[in-house]
Amino acid sequence: MLVKQAKFVTSAAAEHQFLRPEKPMIAVCGKSNAGKSTLINMLAGQKRLAKTSAAPGRTRLVNYFDFGAFMLADLPGYGYAAVSKEEQAKWGKTLDAFFARKEDLSHVFVLSDLRRDPSADDLQMISYLNYHILPFTVLATKCDKLSRMKGKERVKKVAQGFGLGEDNVIPVSGLTGEGKEALLKKIEQVIKIGE
């Protein structure tokens, strides 16, 4: 699969602004600072399609991107303590409303830093997706920070931490592009299922 062109479509702050896609839609979610924007830019082959920030909690809206064969929805990061409880609750409501429309959703990529064990928030997200029978894959980000050997060990550990098989975890690096091919292959499968 080849991404020829990707473009930003719109942002949604509330449920009535959510898009109803006419093509498969894939959501990207994860803790704040898990590397969602960097991953989107890597997939698009662009440096600034999704705004990246060193400060976590940058994405506060659902941002939609058109990748030609599919739509991608970038969701607000969860588990970021430096915003008010009120703001966290608002993000939680937005995520709930988004996932409630599961007929609009083909797949979810849950981003988790390969160097860290899944957090309570990550595990809660996975159990939420399992409960709602939403298909998902864990993308273990920042794999460029580890040696290949250490990376393999961590993939096994992350899979165990999430209670998944290793084939449900794809190690990726938004900086080096490592794992991009495996990720595009997964997206191709998702699109085929959605046809």
Side-chain angles (χ1 to χ4, degrees), residues 21-89:
E22 288 172 14
K23 49 181 121 179
M25 183 158 67
I26 295 169
V28 175
C29 69
K31 280 179 67 171
S32 294
N33 229 14
K36 293 184 294 296
S37 301
T38 306
L39 179 97
I40 291 166
N41 290 336
M42 179 263 281
L43 253 185
Q46 298 179 36
K47 286 205 175 5
R48 291 192 188 85
L49 181 64
K51 288 180 178 66
T52 59
S53 170
R58 171 96 184 175
T59 306
R60 297 179 178 213
L61 308 163
V62 176
N63 292 314
Y64 292 95
F65 300 89
D66 188 341
F67 273 75
F70 65 98
M71 293 290 286
L72 196 139
D74 180 19
L75 304 179
Y78 51 77
Y80 181 47
V83 294
S84 68
K85 290 270 182 255
E86 199 177 301
E87 188 71 15
Q88 282 182 30

Side-chain angles (χ1 to χ4, degrees), residues 118 138 154-169:
V138 171
R154 287 299 307 157
V155 165
K156 192 176 261 184
K157 195 126 167 62
V158 166
Q160 285 170 348
F162 278 118
L164 301 169
E166 284 176 57
D167 56 340
N168 277 337
V169 178

Side-chain angles (χ1 to χ4, degrees), residues 129-140:
L129 295 172
N130 277 325
Y131 179 80
H132 291 285
I133 316 166
L134 285 159
F136 67 89
T137 304
V138 171
L139 301 183

Side-chain angles (χ1 to χ4, degrees), residues 8-21:
F8 171 74
V9 180
T10 189
S11 296
E15 189 176 354
H16 69 276
Q17 298 172 318
F18 292 162
L19 294 186
R20 311 236 45 176

